[in-house]
Amino acid sequence: ATHNIRQQVCATHRNWLGTRMEQLQFDQFEIETRNKDIAKIAEDVKELNSIFRECSLLVAQQGTLIDNIESNVEQACGRTSKAVDELEEANRQHKKAQSKMMWIVGLLIGAAAVATGGGATAAVLA
């Protein structure tokens, strides 16, 4: 009877050890799977970091381009304003010159009238 109890205890112990070994193997598999998943996440984070750095570089480059565009627009506005001022001055000068030309033409017509005795002036003015 003692031998029989001993066999039962040993069998129970073997079953327990077998179950425990299976559990340890399963736990080991789970740990390895999690480690692989963590390594994959770490690689993904590195890749994401690289993408953010590239984006940062692009934003900095575009910021420089935008600054250049802004500067060019400001210069164009200043030059356009100056061009408008110059066109207005040119228009004033043109009007002055046109007015002076009319006076000169009038004086020439008057001088011609005096020189010819006035008859030609009456015909031109009529």
Side-chain angles (χ1 to χ4, degrees):
T2 311
H3 185 337
N4 200 10
I5 293 175
R6 198 179 259 175
Q7 284 179 343
Q8 286 178 348
V9 169
C10 285
T12 304
H13 191 358
R14 268 184 261 139
N15 285 339
W16 181 83
L17 283 177
T19 304
R20 186 68 183 133
M21 286 299 290
E22 289 173 7
Q23 183 64 43
L24 288 174
Q25 287 173 347
F26 179 77
D27 289 347
Q28 180 66 31
F29 175 76
E30 285 291 312
I31 290 169
E32 289 172 4
T33 302
R34 286 182 185 167
N35 283 341
K36 287 177 186 176
D37 291 343
I38 290 170
K40 175 72 170 111
I41 289 170
E43 286 299 315
D44 291 346
V45 168
K46 285 179 185 178
E47 185 177 342
L48 187 60
N49 183 28
S50 175
I51 290 169
F52 276 121
R53 286 182 185 198
E54 289 174 17
C55 286
S56 175
L57 180 62
L58 289 173
V59 167
Q61 289 172 348
Q62 289 174 354
T64 300
L65 290 174
I66 289 172
D67 290 344
N68 289 341
I69 291 169
E70 182 180 7
S71 174
N72 289 341
V73 168
E74 288 174 1
Q75 287 178 6
C77 287
R79 290 176 182 165
T80 302
S81 178
K82 185 177 178 183
V84 167
D85 292 343
E86 289 177 5
L87 285 172
E88 289 173 348
E89 179 61 26
N91 191 30
R92 283 191 291 276
Q93 294 294 329
H94 177 70
K95 286 181 180 180
K96 276 185 180 179
Q98 193 175 18
S99 176
K100 286 178 184 178
M101 182 62 82
M102 293 303 286
W103 277 101
I104 292 171
V105 169
L107 288 174
L108 288 175
I109 290 174
V114 169
T116 59
T121 305
V124 170
L125 292 177

